[in-house]
Amino acid sequence: DKPAVWEAKVLVAEANTNKLNFFFGVADAIAANHLQDAGAGPLASYSGALFFKEDGQTLWSVETSIAGTQTTTQLTAVNSLDKTAHTAGSSSYQTLRIEFLPFSSTQADVLFYIDGVCVAKHLFTYTSATEMQVGIGVKNGSTTAETAYADYVAAFQAR
């Protein structure tokens, strides 16, 4: 029931166009296959909040999840709060930030920022959520090795 923030400054440059799978965020039990194969995005059942990019796509998506129930927003010009499409993968670092702002014992607003601009907001019901860990993951979408770089990762929570 305390506010929390997760932030990373990342460089996601695709080696093979539209084939990178990537995530940054907080989730329970992050493991090697937190990103599904064949561009299927994050796991179908987890608890947390993520930025992600899946192979075959060019834009960032954001997601909140409790077990098998997800809310997902692809950051197109129509869907993003700033009415700008947000491309994942470039030659420049981007700062991705997730803010968890609880307003009751079971609900919170989750705000997603790219380079200081709020791009999405999800109402998040977090009953039965378990311990979380911050993570970054990369998965190839082809035989070409994909790489992502993190300048820093930070996690903060009010006490």
Side-chain angles (χ1 to χ4, degrees):
D1 301 340
K2 304 281 185 174
V5 175
W6 303 278
E7 182 175 288
K9 186 174 181 181
V10 298
L11 176 62
V12 182
E14 295 195 84
N16 192 352
T17 305
N18 300 339
K19 295 298 182 186
L20 173 76
N21 295 280
F22 174 87
F23 82 89
F24 161 71
V26 60
D28 63 320
I30 294 174
N33 285 320
H34 196 79
L35 286 169
Q36 299 180 79
D37 291 337
L43 288 174
S45 183
Y46 73 97
S47 294
L50 303 172
F51 277 91
F52 70 95
K53 190 256 180 224
E54 54 198 348
D55 115 44
Q57 301 294 324
T58 60
L59 301 176
W60 286 115
S61 293
V62 296
E63 184 170 272
T64 50
S65 178
I66 287 291
T69 303
Q70 286 84 32
T71 301
T72 306
T73 305
Q74 188 178 47
L75 298 177
T76 65
V78 171
N79 294 338
S80 64
L81 292 178
D82 66 342
K83 301 302 177 198
T84 301
H86 291 278
T87 302
S90 72
S91 58
S92 300
Y93 277 88
Q94 292 178 297
T95 302
L96 307 179
R97 181 181 180 102
I98 302 167
E99 294 185 3
F100 174 81
L101 304 171
F103 56 84
S104 77
S105 61
T106 60
Q107 290 191 307
D109 287 324
V110 177
L111 305 174
F112 297 90
Y113 294 82
I114 297 175
D115 294 330
V117 176
C118 188
V119 295
K121 177 181 174 181
H122 288 181
L123 173 63
F124 187 48
T125 301
Y126 59 92
T127 55
S128 74
T130 63
E131 295 80 12
M132 303 286 168
Q133 58 192 143
V134 67
I136 292 177
V138 177
K139 189 175 252 189
N140 298 335
S142 71
T143 56
T144 304
E146 299 289 355
T147 306
Y149 302 93
D151 183 49
Y152 69 84
V153 176
F156 311 93
Q157 184 175 24
R159 294 283 175 200

